[in-house]
Amino acid sequence: MKINKLPLIMLGVTLSCAGAPQMCFDKAGRDYGIDPLLLVAISIKESRLKSDAVNKSNSDGSEDVCGMQINSSHYGKLEKFNITRERLLKEPCTCVYTGAWVLARNFNSYGRNWDSVGIYNAGPSIELIKTRRNYADHIRRIYRVLLAQKNITDERLALSTASAPVQGDAEKPAVNNGK
């Protein structure tokens, strides 16, 4: 029997998100109008949230850096924002913001859809449509697990808040039984 380890891996990864604190994903998501959990899902897939990740094995000779695996093809455009390879590797929040910027550009150019998420990894070439779809499907699975985790956490928080004792005078009973 094959066991899907993805939910366990993602739970561990999201609980130890030291490389790029959740607030970076939240802020970048808010600023670019993207669900922060989608950005986290991409970072999990791309680097397992490893902020200093470097991939130099792309078939076209380019490299991908940082937790969001920003491709070197973007370096020229990023120069005008004073974002360098070194900053991407040393500043996790800059990396997350840059990943959000890339994804937002895809959404603006190709629509807010899973194909645009696939373009984040494979680019827009029609020859790479299968690669894009496979990538987007993987991101979608990770994203769904993250959403489920968030919903469970939110429900538990709501339940614990709802069942919390009523604040009041400790000398008076909370319920008056007519006595």
Side-chain angles (χ1 to χ4, degrees), residues 16-85:
S16 64
C17 184
Q22 185 63 42
M23 66 182 199
C24 297
F25 290 104
D26 291 344
K27 193 165 180 349
R30 184 187 68 236
D31 290 350
Y32 282 100
I34 298 169
D35 186 343
L37 292 179
L38 180 57
L39 297 173
V40 172
I42 290 171
S43 187
I44 288 170
K45 168 74 174 139
E46 291 288 342
S47 70
R48 298 190 189 268
L49 297 171
K50 187 177 176 195
S51 62
D52 61 351
V54 176
N55 171 26
K56 293 186 178 200
S57 63
N58 293 332
S59 61
D60 63 0
S62 66
E63 72 171 358
D64 306 311
V65 299
C66 74
M68 297 297 286
Q69 290 291 273
I70 305 302
N71 188 270
S72 57
S73 65
H74 297 290
Y75 290 171
K77 295 175 198 103
L78 294 172
E79 279 181 6
K80 65 182 168 187
F81 304 113
N82 197 31
I83 296 175
T84 63
R85 178 186 190 275

Short mmCIF file of all heavy atoms in Angstrom, two decimals, residues 16-85:
data_model
loop_
_atom_site.label_atom_id
_atom_site.label_comp_id
_atom_site.label_asym_id
_atom_site.label_seq_id
_atom_site.Cartn_x
_atom_site.Cartn_y
_atom_site.Cartn_z
N SER A 16 7.57 24.79 10.36
CA SER A 16 8.95 25.24 10.53
C SER A 16 9.35 26.24 9.46
O SER A 16 10.43 26.18 8.90
CB SER A 16 9.90 24.04 10.50
OG SER A 16 9.84 23.44 9.23
N CYS A 17 8.49 27.14 9.16
CA CYS A 17 8.69 28.11 8.09
C CYS A 17 9.59 29.25 8.56
O CYS A 17 9.20 30.40 8.57
CB CYS A 17 7.34 28.64 7.63
SG CYS A 17 7.38 29.75 6.25
N ALA A 18 10.83 28.92 8.93
CA ALA A 18 11.74 29.93 9.47
C ALA A 18 12.38 30.76 8.37
O ALA A 18 12.74 31.90 8.59
CB ALA A 18 12.82 29.25 10.30
N GLY A 19 12.54 30.21 7.16
CA GLY A 19 13.22 30.90 6.08
C GLY A 19 12.49 32.14 5.61
O GLY A 19 13.11 33.15 5.32
N ALA A 20 11.21 32.08 5.50
CA ALA A 20 10.41 33.23 5.08
C ALA A 20 9.18 33.26 5.96
O ALA A 20 8.23 32.53 5.73
CB ALA A 20 10.02 33.10 3.61
N PRO A 21 9.19 34.06 7.00
CA PRO A 21 8.09 34.07 7.96
C PRO A 21 6.73 34.26 7.29
O PRO A 21 6.62 34.91 6.24
CB PRO A 21 8.42 35.26 8.86
CG PRO A 21 9.88 35.47 8.71
CD PRO A 21 10.21 35.04 7.32
N GLN A 22 5.73 33.69 7.90
CA GLN A 22 4.37 33.75 7.36
C GLN A 22 3.94 35.18 7.07
O GLN A 22 3.24 35.42 6.10
CB GLN A 22 3.38 33.10 8.33
CG GLN A 22 1.97 33.01 7.79
CD GLN A 22 1.85 32.16 6.55
OE1 GLN A 22 2.44 31.10 6.48
NE2 GLN A 22 1.09 32.62 5.58
N MET A 23 4.42 36.14 7.87
CA MET A 23 4.01 37.53 7.63
C MET A 23 4.46 38.02 6.25
O MET A 23 3.79 38.84 5.64
CB MET A 23 4.51 38.45 8.72
CG MET A 23 5.99 38.62 8.78
SD MET A 23 6.42 39.70 10.16
CE MET A 23 8.06 40.15 9.65
N CYS A 24 5.58 37.49 5.74
CA CYS A 24 6.03 37.88 4.40
C CYS A 24 5.04 37.39 3.35
O CYS A 24 4.69 38.12 2.41
CB CYS A 24 7.41 37.31 4.10
SG CYS A 24 8.71 37.92 5.19
N PHE A 25 4.60 36.14 3.49
CA PHE A 25 3.61 35.59 2.56
C PHE A 25 2.30 36.35 2.67
O PHE A 25 1.68 36.67 1.65
CB PHE A 25 3.38 34.09 2.84
CG PHE A 25 4.54 33.22 2.47
CD1 PHE A 25 5.37 32.71 3.45
CD2 PHE A 25 4.80 32.89 1.14
CE1 PHE A 25 6.45 31.91 3.12
CE2 PHE A 25 5.87 32.08 0.80
CZ PHE A 25 6.70 31.59 1.79
N ASP A 26 1.88 36.65 3.90
CA ASP A 26 0.63 37.38 4.11
C ASP A 26 0.68 38.77 3.48
O ASP A 26 -0.24 39.17 2.77
CB ASP A 26 0.33 37.51 5.60
CG ASP A 26 -0.04 36.19 6.26
OD1 ASP A 26 -0.36 35.22 5.54
OD2 ASP A 26 0.00 36.13 7.51
N LYS A 27 1.75 39.49 3.72
CA LYS A 27 1.88 40.86 3.21
C LYS A 27 2.00 40.88 1.68
O LYS A 27 1.33 41.65 1.01
CB LYS A 27 3.07 41.55 3.86
CG LYS A 27 3.11 43.05 3.63
CD LYS A 27 4.08 43.70 4.60
CE LYS A 27 4.22 45.19 4.47
NZ LYS A 27 3.68 45.88 3.38
N ALA A 28 2.84 40.00 1.14
CA ALA A 28 2.99 39.94 -0.32
C ALA A 28 1.67 39.54 -0.98
O ALA A 28 1.29 40.11 -2.00
CB ALA A 28 4.10 38.96 -0.69
N GLY A 29 0.99 38.58 -0.37
CA GLY A 29 -0.30 38.16 -0.91
C GLY A 29 -1.31 39.29 -0.91
O GLY A 29 -2.01 39.51 -1.89
N ARG A 30 -1.35 40.02 0.21
CA ARG A 30 -2.28 41.16 0.30
C ARG A 30 -1.93 42.22 -0.74
O ARG A 30 -2.80 42.72 -1.45
CB ARG A 30 -2.25 41.74 1.71
CG ARG A 30 -3.27 42.87 1.90
CD ARG A 30 -3.15 43.57 3.23
NE ARG A 30 -1.91 44.32 3.27
CZ ARG A 30 -0.95 44.18 4.21
NH1 ARG A 30 -1.11 43.32 5.18
NH2 ARG A 30 0.14 44.90 4.16
N ASP A 31 -0.65 42.55 -0.84
CA ASP A 31 -0.23 43.62 -1.75
C ASP A 31 -0.44 43.27 -3.22
O ASP A 31 -0.68 44.16 -4.04
CB ASP A 31 1.24 43.99 -1.50
CG ASP A 31 1.44 44.70 -0.16
OD1 ASP A 31 0.43 45.06 0.49
OD2 ASP A 31 2.60 44.88 0.24
N TYR A 32 -0.35 41.99 -3.56
CA TYR A 32 -0.53 41.58 -4.96
C TYR A 32 -1.89 40.93 -5.23
O TYR A 32 -2.15 40.49 -6.34
CB TYR A 32 0.60 40.62 -5.38
CG TYR A 32 1.88 41.35 -5.67
CD1 TYR A 32 2.91 41.40 -4.73
CD2 TYR A 32 2.07 42.00 -6.89
CE1 TYR A 32 4.09 42.07 -5.01
CE2 TYR A 32 3.25 42.68 -7.16
CZ TYR A 32 4.25 42.70 -6.22
OH TYR A 32 5.42 43.37 -6.49
N GLY A 33 -2.74 40.85 -4.22
CA GLY A 33 -4.07 40.27 -4.42
C GLY A 33 -4.03 38.78 -4.68
O GLY A 33 -4.82 38.26 -5.48
N ILE A 34 -3.11 38.08 -4.03
CA ILE A 34 -2.94 36.64 -4.20
C ILE A 34 -3.09 35.99 -2.83
O ILE A 34 -2.54 36.49 -1.84
CB ILE A 34 -1.55 36.32 -4.79
CG1 ILE A 34 -1.40 36.96 -6.17
CG2 ILE A 34 -1.31 34.81 -4.85
CD1 ILE A 34 0.03 36.91 -6.71
N ASP A 35 -3.79 34.88 -2.77
CA ASP A 35 -3.92 34.16 -1.50
C ASP A 35 -2.52 33.78 -1.01
O ASP A 35 -1.78 33.12 -1.73
CB ASP A 35 -4.77 32.91 -1.69
CG ASP A 35 -5.08 32.19 -0.38
OD1 ASP A 35 -4.39 32.43 0.64
OD2 ASP A 35 -6.01 31.36 -0.39
N PRO A 36 -2.15 34.21 0.19
CA PRO A 36 -0.82 33.87 0.73
C PRO A 36 -0.55 32.36 0.75
O PRO A 36 0.58 31.93 0.57
CB PRO A 36 -0.85 34.43 2.15
CG PRO A 36 -1.88 35.49 2.12
CD PRO A 36 -2.90 35.06 1.11
N LEU A 37 -1.60 31.57 0.94
CA LEU A 37 -1.40 30.12 0.95
C LEU A 37 -0.98 29.60 -0.42
O LEU A 37 -0.26 28.59 -0.51
CB LEU A 37 -2.66 29.40 1.43
CG LEU A 37 -3.01 29.61 2.90
CD1 LEU A 37 -4.30 28.86 3.25
CD2 LEU A 37 -1.88 29.19 3.81
N LEU A 38 -1.40 30.27 -1.48
CA LEU A 38 -0.95 29.88 -2.81
C LEU A 38 0.55 30.16 -2.95
O LEU A 38 1.29 29.34 -3.51
CB LEU A 38 -1.74 30.62 -3.89
CG LEU A 38 -1.37 30.30 -5.34
CD1 LEU A 38 -1.50 28.81 -5.64
CD2 LEU A 38 -2.23 31.12 -6.29
N LEU A 39 1.01 31.27 -2.41
CA LEU A 39 2.44 31.58 -2.43
C LEU A 39 3.23 30.57 -1.60
O LEU A 39 4.30 30.12 -2.01
CB LEU A 39 2.68 33.00 -1.92
CG LEU A 39 2.06 34.13 -2.75
CD1 LEU A 39 2.22 35.47 -2.05
CD2 LEU A 39 2.64 34.16 -4.15
N VAL A 40 2.68 30.18 -0.46
CA VAL A 40 3.34 29.17 0.37
C VAL A 40 3.40 27.86 -0.38
O VAL A 40 4.44 27.18 -0.39
CB VAL A 40 2.61 28.99 1.72
CG1 VAL A 40 3.17 27.80 2.50
CG2 VAL A 40 2.70 30.26 2.57
N ALA A 41 2.31 27.49 -1.05
CA ALA A 41 2.29 26.24 -1.82
C ALA A 41 3.37 26.23 -2.89
O ALA A 41 4.06 25.22 -3.08
CB ALA A 41 0.90 26.04 -2.46
N ILE A 42 3.54 27.35 -3.57
CA ILE A 42 4.58 27.44 -4.60
C ILE A 42 5.95 27.29 -3.96
O ILE A 42 6.81 26.55 -4.47
CB ILE A 42 4.45 28.76 -5.39
CG1 ILE A 42 3.20 28.71 -6.27
CG2 ILE A 42 5.71 29.03 -6.22
CD1 ILE A 42 2.84 30.02 -6.94
N SER A 43 6.17 27.95 -2.84
CA SER A 43 7.47 27.86 -2.18
C SER A 43 7.75 26.45 -1.66
O SER A 43 8.89 25.97 -1.70
CB SER A 43 7.56 28.87 -1.04
OG SER A 43 8.87 28.89 -0.51
N ILE A 44 6.71 25.77 -1.20
CA ILE A 44 6.88 24.38 -0.76
C ILE A 44 7.31 23.52 -1.94
O ILE A 44 8.26 22.73 -1.84
CB ILE A 44 5.59 23.84 -0.12
CG1 ILE A 44 5.37 24.49 1.25
CG2 ILE A 44 5.64 22.31 0.01
CD1 ILE A 44 3.99 24.21 1.85
N LYS A 45 6.63 23.67 -3.05
CA LYS A 45 6.95 22.87 -4.25
C LYS A 45 8.33 23.22 -4.79
O LYS A 45 9.11 22.34 -5.15
CB LYS A 45 5.88 23.11 -5.31
CG LYS A 45 6.21 22.58 -6.69
CD LYS A 45 6.11 21.08 -6.77
CE LYS A 45 6.31 20.60 -8.21
NZ LYS A 45 7.12 19.41 -8.28
N GLU A 46 8.62 24.50 -4.86
CA GLU A 46 9.85 24.95 -5.49
C GLU A 46 11.10 24.63 -4.66
O GLU A 46 12.12 24.26 -5.21
CB GLU A 46 9.79 26.45 -5.77
CG GLU A 46 8.81 26.85 -6.85
CD GLU A 46 9.26 26.47 -8.25
OE1 GLU A 46 10.46 26.21 -8.46
OE2 GLU A 46 8.40 26.44 -9.14
N SER A 47 11.01 24.83 -3.34
CA SER A 47 12.24 24.73 -2.54
C SER A 47 12.06 24.10 -1.16
O SER A 47 13.02 24.09 -0.38
CB SER A 47 12.82 26.13 -2.33
OG SER A 47 11.97 26.87 -1.46
N ARG A 48 10.84 23.65 -0.87
CA ARG A 48 10.52 23.20 0.49
C ARG A 48 10.77 24.33 1.50
O ARG A 48 11.23 24.12 2.60
CB ARG A 48 11.27 21.95 0.87
CG ARG A 48 10.94 20.76 0.01
CD ARG A 48 11.53 19.50 0.59
NE ARG A 48 11.39 18.39 -0.32
CZ ARG A 48 10.37 17.54 -0.34
NH1 ARG A 48 9.39 17.67 0.51
NH2 ARG A 48 10.32 16.56 -1.23
N LEU A 49 10.50 25.55 1.06
CA LEU A 49 10.64 26.78 1.84
C LEU A 49 12.08 27.07 2.24
O LEU A 49 12.33 27.82 3.19
CB LEU A 49 9.75 26.75 3.10
CG LEU A 49 8.25 26.67 2.86
CD1 LEU A 49 7.52 26.42 4.17
CD2 LEU A 49 7.74 27.92 2.20
N LYS A 50 13.01 26.56 1.51
CA LYS A 50 14.44 26.79 1.80
C LYS A 50 14.86 28.12 1.17
O LYS A 50 14.96 28.24 -0.05
CB LYS A 50 15.27 25.64 1.25
CG LYS A 50 16.71 25.71 1.65
CD LYS A 50 17.48 24.49 1.15
CE LYS A 50 18.95 24.67 1.50
NZ LYS A 50 19.78 23.74 0.77
N SER A 51 15.13 29.10 2.01
CA SER A 51 15.36 30.46 1.52
C SER A 51 16.65 30.62 0.70
O SER A 51 16.75 31.52 -0.12
CB SER A 51 15.37 31.45 2.68
OG SER A 51 16.43 31.15 3.57
N ASP A 52 17.62 29.74 0.89
CA ASP A 52 18.88 29.87 0.15
C ASP A 52 19.02 28.81 -0.96
O ASP A 52 20.12 28.52 -1.42
CB ASP A 52 20.07 29.81 1.10
CG ASP A 52 20.16 28.49 1.86
OD1 ASP A 52 19.21 27.68 1.79
OD2 ASP A 52 21.19 28.27 2.53
N ALA A 53 17.90 28.27 -1.41
CA ALA A 53 17.93 27.24 -2.45
C ALA A 53 18.43 27.80 -3.78
O ALA A 53 18.09 28.92 -4.17
CB ALA A 53 16.53 26.66 -2.64
N VAL A 54 19.26 27.03 -4.46
CA VAL A 54 19.77 27.39 -5.79
C VAL A 54 19.66 26.15 -6.67
O VAL A 54 20.09 25.07 -6.29
CB VAL A 54 21.24 27.87 -5.73
CG1 VAL A 54 21.77 28.14 -7.13
CG2 VAL A 54 21.38 29.10 -4.86
N ASN A 55 19.08 26.34 -7.85
CA ASN A 55 18.97 25.27 -8.84
C ASN A 55 19.67 25.74 -10.10
O ASN A 55 19.22 26.68 -10.75
CB ASN A 55 17.50 24.94 -9.12
CG ASN A 55 17.35 23.98 -10.29
OD1 ASN A 55 18.24 23.20 -10.59
ND2 ASN A 55 16.21 24.06 -10.95
N LYS A 56 20.75 25.08 -10.44
CA LYS A 56 21.50 25.45 -11.66
C LYS A 56 21.35 24.41 -12.75
O LYS A 56 22.11 24.40 -13.71
CB LYS A 56 22.98 25.62 -11.32
CG LYS A 56 23.25 26.80 -10.41
CD LYS A 56 24.73 27.01 -10.21
CE LYS A 56 24.94 28.23 -9.34
NZ LYS A 56 26.25 28.80 -9.44
N SER A 57 20.36 23.52 -12.62
CA SER A 57 20.25 22.41 -13.58
C SER A 57 19.14 22.59 -14.61
O SER A 57 18.63 21.61 -15.15
CB SER A 57 20.05 21.10 -12.81
OG SER A 57 18.84 21.13 -12.09
N ASN A 58 18.76 23.82 -14.91
CA ASN A 58 17.75 24.05 -15.94
C ASN A 58 18.33 23.75 -17.32
O ASN A 58 19.50 24.06 -17.60
CB ASN A 58 17.25 25.50 -15.90
CG ASN A 58 16.47 25.80 -14.64
OD1 ASN A 58 15.85 24.92 -14.05
ND2 ASN A 58 16.49 27.05 -14.22
N SER A 59 17.53 23.16 -18.18
CA SER A 59 18.01 22.75 -19.50
C SER A 59 18.43 23.93 -20.37
O SER A 59 19.24 23.77 -21.28
CB SER A 59 16.94 21.92 -20.21
OG SER A 59 15.77 22.69 -20.39
N ASP A 60 17.90 25.12 -20.08
CA ASP A 60 18.25 26.30 -20.88
C ASP A 60 19.45 27.06 -20.33
O ASP A 60 19.79 28.13 -20.82
CB ASP A 60 17.04 27.23 -21.02
CG ASP A 60 16.57 27.81 -19.70
OD1 ASP A 60 17.16 27.49 -18.64
OD2 ASP A 60 15.59 28.58 -19.72
N GLY A 61 20.07 26.53 -19.26
CA GLY A 61 21.24 27.18 -18.68
C GLY A 61 20.93 28.25 -17.65
O GLY A 61 21.83 28.81 -17.04
N SER A 62 19.66 28.53 -17.44
CA SER A 62 19.29 29.53 -16.43
C SER A 62 19.35 28.89 -15.04
O SER A 62 19.51 27.68 -14.91
CB SER A 62 17.88 30.06 -16.70
OG SER A 62 16.92 29.04 -16.53
N GLU A 63 19.23 29.73 -14.02
CA GLU A 63 19.21 29.23 -12.66
C GLU A 63 17.97 29.75 -11.94
O GLU A 63 17.37 30.74 -12.36
CB GLU A 63 20.47 29.63 -11.89
CG GLU A 63 20.52 31.10 -11.53
CD GLU A 63 21.66 31.45 -10.58
OE1 GLU A 63 22.42 30.57 -10.15
OE2 GLU A 63 21.78 32.64 -10.27
N ASP A 64 17.59 29.06 -10.87
CA ASP A 64 16.49 29.47 -10.01
C ASP A 64 17.06 29.66 -8.61
O ASP A 64 17.83 28.82 -8.14
CB ASP A 64 15.40 28.39 -9.97
CG ASP A 64 14.92 28.00 -11.36
OD1 ASP A 64 14.60 28.91 -12.15
OD2 ASP A 64 14.86 26.80 -11.65
N VAL A 65 16.67 30.75 -7.94
CA VAL A 65 17.22 31.03 -6.62
C VAL A 65 16.13 31.36 -5.60
O VAL A 65 15.05 31.80 -5.97
CB VAL A 65 18.25 32.19 -6.65
CG1 VAL A 65 19.43 31.85 -7.54
CG2 VAL A 65 17.61 33.49 -7.05
N CYS A 66 16.44 31.14 -4.36
CA CYS A 66 15.69 31.45 -3.15
C CYS A 66 14.48 30.53 -2.99
O CYS A 66 14.24 29.64 -3.80
CB CYS A 66 15.32 32.93 -3.07
SG CYS A 66 14.00 33.52 -4.14
N GLY A 67 13.73 30.76 -1.95
CA GLY A 67 12.60 29.91 -1.62
C GLY A 67 11.52 29.86 -2.67
O GLY A 67 10.81 28.88 -2.80
N MET A 68 11.40 30.92 -3.45
CA MET A 68 10.41 30.95 -4.53
C MET A 68 11.00 30.54 -5.87
O MET A 68 10.30 30.53 -6.87
CB MET A 68 9.79 32.36 -4.64
CG MET A 68 9.01 32.82 -3.41
SD MET A 68 7.56 31.83 -3.01
CE MET A 68 6.42 32.34 -4.28
N GLN A 69 12.29 30.20 -5.89
CA GLN A 69 12.99 29.76 -7.09
C GLN A 69 12.77 30.73 -8.27
O GLN A 69 12.27 30.38 -9.33
CB GLN A 69 12.59 28.34 -7.47
CG GLN A 69 13.11 27.30 -6.48
CD GLN A 69 14.62 27.14 -6.56
OE1 GLN A 69 15.12 26.37 -7.36
NE2 GLN A 69 15.37 27.88 -5.75
N ILE A 70 13.17 31.97 -8.04
CA ILE A 70 13.07 33.01 -9.06
C ILE A 70 14.08 32.70 -10.16
O ILE A 70 15.27 32.54 -9.89
CB ILE A 70 13.34 34.41 -8.46
CG1 ILE A 70 12.41 34.68 -7.27
CG2 ILE A 70 13.25 35.49 -9.53
CD1 ILE A 70 10.93 34.61 -7.57
N ASN A 71 13.61 32.62 -11.39
CA ASN A 71 14.48 32.28 -12.51
C ASN A 71 15.33 33.49 -12.91
O ASN A 71 14.87 34.63 -12.89
CB ASN A 71 13.65 31.80 -13.70
CG ASN A 71 14.50 31.26 -14.81
OD1 ASN A 71 14.90 32.01 -15.70
ND2 ASN A 71 14.79 29.97 -14.76
N SER A 72 16.56 33.20 -13.30
CA SER A 72 17.50 34.26 -13.68
C SER A 72 17.02 35.06 -14.89
O SER A 72 17.50 36.17 -15.12
CB SER A 72 18.89 33.68 -13.94
OG SER A 72 18.85 32.66 -14.91
N SER A 73 16.06 34.55 -15.65
CA SER A 73 15.51 35.32 -16.77
C SER A 73 14.84 36.61 -16.30
O SER A 73 14.65 37.53 -17.09
CB SER A 73 14.51 34.47 -17.56
OG SER A 73 13.37 34.17 -16.77
N HIS A 74 14.51 36.69 -15.02
CA HIS A 74 13.87 37.89 -14.46
C HIS A 74 14.88 38.91 -13.95
O HIS A 74 14.48 40.03 -13.62
CB HIS A 74 12.93 37.50 -13.31
CG HIS A 74 11.80 36.63 -13.72
ND1 HIS A 74 10.75 37.05 -14.51
CD2 HIS A 74 11.56 35.32 -13.46
CE1 HIS A 74 9.91 36.06 -14.71
NE2 HIS A 74 10.37 34.99 -14.08
N TYR A 75 16.14 38.56 -13.85
CA TYR A 75 17.13 39.45 -13.24
C TYR A 75 17.15 40.84 -13.89
O TYR A 75 17.23 41.85 -13.20
CB TYR A 75 18.54 38.85 -13.28
CG TYR A 75 18.76 37.66 -12.38
CD1 TYR A 75 19.94 36.93 -12.47
CD2 TYR A 75 17.84 37.24 -11.43
CE1 TYR A 75 20.18 35.83 -11.65
CE2 TYR A 75 18.06 36.15 -10.61
CZ TYR A 75 19.23 35.45 -10.72
OH TYR A 75 19.47 34.37 -9.92
N GLY A 76 17.10 40.89 -15.21
CA GLY A 76 17.13 42.18 -15.91
C GLY A 76 15.98 43.09 -15.50
O GLY A 76 16.17 44.28 -15.24
N LYS A 77 14.76 42.52 -15.42
CA LYS A 77 13.59 43.31 -15.02
C LYS A 77 13.68 43.72 -13.55
O LYS A 77 13.19 44.78 -13.16
CB LYS A 77 12.32 42.50 -15.27
CG LYS A 77 12.04 42.22 -16.72
CD LYS A 77 10.82 41.32 -16.85
CE LYS A 77 10.78 40.68 -18.22
NZ LYS A 77 11.20 39.30 -18.24
N LEU A 78 14.29 42.87 -12.74
CA LEU A 78 14.37 43.14 -11.31
C LEU A 78 15.41 44.21 -10.96
O LEU A 78 15.33 44.82 -9.90
CB LEU A 78 14.67 41.84 -10.55
CG LEU A 78 13.57 40.79 -10.60
CD1 LEU A 78 14.06 39.48 -9.99
CD2 LEU A 78 12.31 41.29 -9.91
N GLU A 79 16.37 44.43 -11.87
CA GLU A 79 17.41 45.45 -11.61
C GLU A 79 16.81 46.82 -11.34
O GLU A 79 17.29 47.54 -10.48
CB GLU A 79 18.36 45.54 -12.81
CG GLU A 79 19.42 44.48 -12.83
CD GLU A 79 20.35 44.63 -14.04
OE1 GLU A 79 20.24 45.63 -14.80
OE2 GLU A 79 21.18 43.74 -14.22
N LYS A 80 15.73 47.16 -12.07
CA LYS A 80 15.14 48.49 -11.88
C LYS A 80 14.49 48.64 -10.50
O LYS A 80 14.22 49.75 -10.06
CB LYS A 80 14.16 48.83 -12.99
CG LYS A 80 12.94 47.97 -13.08
CD LYS A 80 12.07 48.40 -14.26
CE LYS A 80 10.99 47.38 -14.53
NZ LYS A 80 10.27 47.68 -15.74
N PHE A 81 14.28 47.53 -9.79
CA PHE A 81 13.76 47.56 -8.43
C PHE A 81 14.89 47.36 -7.41
O PHE A 81 14.63 47.18 -6.22
CB PHE A 81 12.70 46.48 -8.22
CG PHE A 81 11.56 46.57 -9.19
CD1 PHE A 81 11.37 45.57 -10.15
CD2 PHE A 81 10.68 47.64 -9.15
CE1 PHE A 81 10.32 45.64 -11.04
CE2 PHE A 81 9.63 47.71 -10.05
CZ PHE A 81 9.44 46.71 -11.00
N ASN A 82 16.13 47.34 -7.90
CA ASN A 82 17.30 47.11 -7.06
C ASN A 82 17.26 45.73 -6.38
O ASN A 82 17.69 45.58 -5.24
CB ASN A 82 17.47 48.22 -6.03
CG ASN A 82 18.86 48.24 -5.43
OD1 ASN A 82 19.83 47.87 -6.08
ND2 ASN A 82 18.96 48.65 -4.18
N ILE A 83 16.70 44.76 -7.10
CA ILE A 83 16.65 43.39 -6.58
C ILE A 83 17.68 42.58 -7.35
O ILE A 83 17.61 42.47 -8.57
CB ILE A 83 15.24 42.78 -6.73
CG1 ILE A 83 14.25 43.58 -5.88
CG2 ILE A 83 15.25 41.31 -6.33
CD1 ILE A 83 12.81 43.16 -6.04
N THR A 84 18.61 42.05 -6.61
CA THR A 84 19.70 41.26 -7.20
C THR A 84 19.58 39.80 -6.74
O THR A 84 18.83 39.47 -5.83
CB THR A 84 21.06 41.80 -6.73
OG1 THR A 84 21.14 41.64 -5.30
CG2 THR A 84 21.25 43.26 -7.10
N ARG A 85 20.38 38.97 -7.38
CA ARG A 85 20.45 37.57 -6.99
C ARG A 85 20.82 37.44 -5.52
O ARG A 85 20.23 36.65 -4.77
CB ARG A 85 21.50 36.87 -7.87
CG ARG A 85 21.72 35.42 -7.54
CD ARG A 85 22.89 34.85 -8.38
NE ARG A 85 22.98 33.42 -8.27
CZ ARG A 85 23.62 32.76 -7.29
NH1 ARG A 85 24.22 33.45 -6.33
NH2 ARG A 85 23.65 31.44 -7.28
#
